[in-house]
Amino acid sequence: MRGWGALAALVSLVVTNAPAAAAGGGEWLDARVPAQWNEPGARVPRPPRFDPDPFLEARCKAQDRTPSSEADRAVVRAGWKLFGACQHFGDTEVVTARSGSDGMCRPLGFQSFVFVGGKFAGTLSPRPMDARTDGAGQVPELVAADAVVLVFSRYAMADPMCCPSRTSTAQYRVAGGPQRPVVRLTAVSTQPTGDAAPPAVPASIALRTWQLTRMESSMDDGILVPDHPSKYTLELGGDGRATVKADCNRGSGAYHLDGRSLSLGPFVTTRATCPPGSLADRYLAQLAQVAAWAEKDGKLRLTTRADGAVLEFQPAPGADGVLSGAERCRRSGGTVEAAACCGLVGEFPNTCLVGACGCSPEASRPVSTCRCPAGQCFDGSSCAPVGRKPGGQLR
């Protein structure tokens, strides 16, 4: 009888404690606009309460990992138990930890934490997760010092516990700089698990604006340096479109990323005559020949297929490179449109301010604007609820 009683107690512990560790499911992954829950300067959260069974803890202890970094120690001090391998990319580190385990030593109440230079930047889920439940994260992938990808299991009510019918791939960007790092969720894509092709891991060079610093030719060993990097830019948007600035001209065209391969264009550009000494024509011609990319030490190097020339770029000022107004609009749920706005405002004006696009026809000019979902306006950075106190100027 003692053996049956112990078994019954063990089954009861697993059944009753498993739901208690999680605070919800994966519905947050279905939001049209990515949710945000991390704030700079926050502390490592405490784990959910879990009353462990001594037998289970002894059985699963072999999976616990010994702290080996300041990030590990910060998570352990908060009350978590480390498991799985930690990941490093430069100063960025991803640590995964649990509060308990089920009868098969699967993690309950677990979470993934991101640190930069030992400073806590945030978690990869807004709440702790349980294995084999909707919204349970798999193994995070640190694809760059400022880019993380995590696939989540998505269970429907009728799914067996072995086999979720969907997965959601979440993409994160580490922003804020080394002093106040913060993790931001940038995009989520959900697909049936029966899809033949799993979602591709996004390249770290996308969704950023790059400025040209030099062009090197292998044919004549020449090096061309622009008089200012901001005159020659390249941005790979989230919609498969690339935008370029070539001195006095602007343009856009499709791009295709496949591993380390990259093709650009053809570009449709304006045809203004730039000042003498401009590199605009040479720059656009070289972009059309790009075949591969590499990122090292924070710089982007594009190699051409014809003569092996190399175009070197640096990120635009800011933690991630300055995103264009069009990309900020699309990423916050808006659509890009053309409108007649006051002559003093620039592209993608702050429509949360009264009067940005309310001038008379003779005092207006055509600009690109962001049309936000119902009940929202574009504050110059993203679609925001109407009525929230706006900041900044008309632009």
Side-chain angles (χ1 to χ4, degrees):
M1 293 298 293
R2 181 178 298 177
W4 282 106
L7 178 60
L10 174 60
V11 171
S12 174
L13 177 69
V14 173
V15 172
T16 57
N17 274 4
E27 70 281 348
W28 62 276
L29 292 159
D30 298 322
R32 181 180 177 185
V33 178
Q36 304 298 337
W37 57 91
N38 294 313
E39 295 296 336
R43 294 183 178 181
V44 177
R46 302 286 297 179
R49 180 174 178 178
F50 190 87
D51 297 323
D53 177 83
F55 172 77
L56 284 181
E57 282 298 294
R59 177 183 175 189
C60 302
K61 190 172 180 59
Q63 297 184 1
D64 291 349
R65 182 168 60 81
T66 302
S68 61
S69 67
E70 181 53 38
D72 285 345
R73 288 185 282 272
V75 172
V76 171
R77 283 195 298 269
W80 298 85
K81 298 178 177 66
L82 304 176
F83 77 95
C86 63
Q87 296 187 51
H88 294 264
F89 199 121
D91 289 335
T92 305
E93 184 176 352
V94 177
V95 177
T96 302
R98 64 178 178 88
S99 57
S101 300
D102 66 10
M104 297 297 291
C105 293
R106 289 180 289 253
L108 298 178
F110 71 94
Q111 183 64 275
S112 292
F113 308 86
V114 179
F115 291 80
V116 178
K119 296 181 183 295
F120 179 56
T123 63
L124 298 185
S125 172
R127 58 179 71 98
M129 302 163 281
D130 283 348
R132 289 193 165 193
T133 62
D134 185 46
Q138 300 178 15
V139 180
E141 183 170 1
L142 187 56
V143 298
D146 61 354
V148 186
V149 175
L150 179 55
V151 177
F152 293 84
S153 299
R154 304 303 310 279
Y155 285 86
M157 291 294 292
D159 290 345
M161 294 186 70
C162 69
C163 311
S165 56
R166 298 183 301 158
T167 59
S168 292
T169 301
Q171 306 171 22
Y172 306 83
R173 181 72 66 184
V174 182
Q179 297 305 314
R180 289 176 62 81
V182 62
V183 175
R184 299 297 187 198
L185 177 65
T186 59
V188 178
S189 61
T190 301
Q191 52 285 317
T193 53
D195 279 2
V201 173
S204 60
I205 63 173
L207 303 180
R208 306 170 76 176
T209 297
W210 296 93
Q211 297 180 344
L212 181 70
T213 56
R214 57 195 286 159
M215 291 191 292
E216 304 175 8
S217 173
S218 62
M219 301 293 289
D220 55 13
D221 295 325
I223 296 178
L224 298 175
V225 178
D227 56 345
H228 199 288
S230 64
K231 289 186 177 181
Y232 304 88
T233 65
L234 172 67
E235 180 187 337
L236 307 180
D239 59 350
R241 302 286 296 177
T243 56
V244 296
K245 179 165 68 172
D247 201 349
C248 64
N249 287 297
R250 308 289 188 275
S252 65
Y255 76 89
H256 180 70
L257 267 171
D258 184 8
R260 292 294 176 181
S261 298
L262 171 65
S263 59
L264 299 165
F267 289 109
V268 177
T269 66
T270 56
R271 297 181 176 274
T273 302
C274 297
S278 172
L279 303 178
D281 292 342
R282 181 73 175 268
Y283 175 55
L284 291 172
Q286 293 285 32
L287 286 179
Q289 297 295 321
V290 166
W293 68 275
E295 187 181 7
K296 184 177 181 181
D297 298 328
K299 301 229 174 157
L300 171 65
R301 291 170 64 88
L302 304 183
T303 307
T304 65
R305 68 176 65 88
D307 57 2
V310 175
L311 286 73
E312 185 179 89
F313 297 81
Q314 66 185 15
D320 299 325
V322 179
L323 296 179
S324 68
E327 189 62 35
R328 291 197 297 267
C329 173
R330 287 190 291 264
R331 290 175 64 182
S332 60
T335 55
V336 177
E337 296 184 349
C341 295
C342 300
L344 293 177
V345 305
E347 297 291 307
F348 295 95
N350 186 340
T351 55
C352 295
L353 295 176
V354 177
C357 297
C359 294
S360 60
E362 61 272 14
S364 300
R365 68 186 185 92
V367 297
S368 297
T369 62
C370 181
R371 181 174 182 177
C372 294
Q376 299 183 23
C377 56
F378 189 70
D379 65 5
S381 298
S382 62
C383 289
V386 173
R388 189 175 77 182
K389 184 177 180 181
Q393 305 301 316
L394 286 175
R395 177 173 172 79

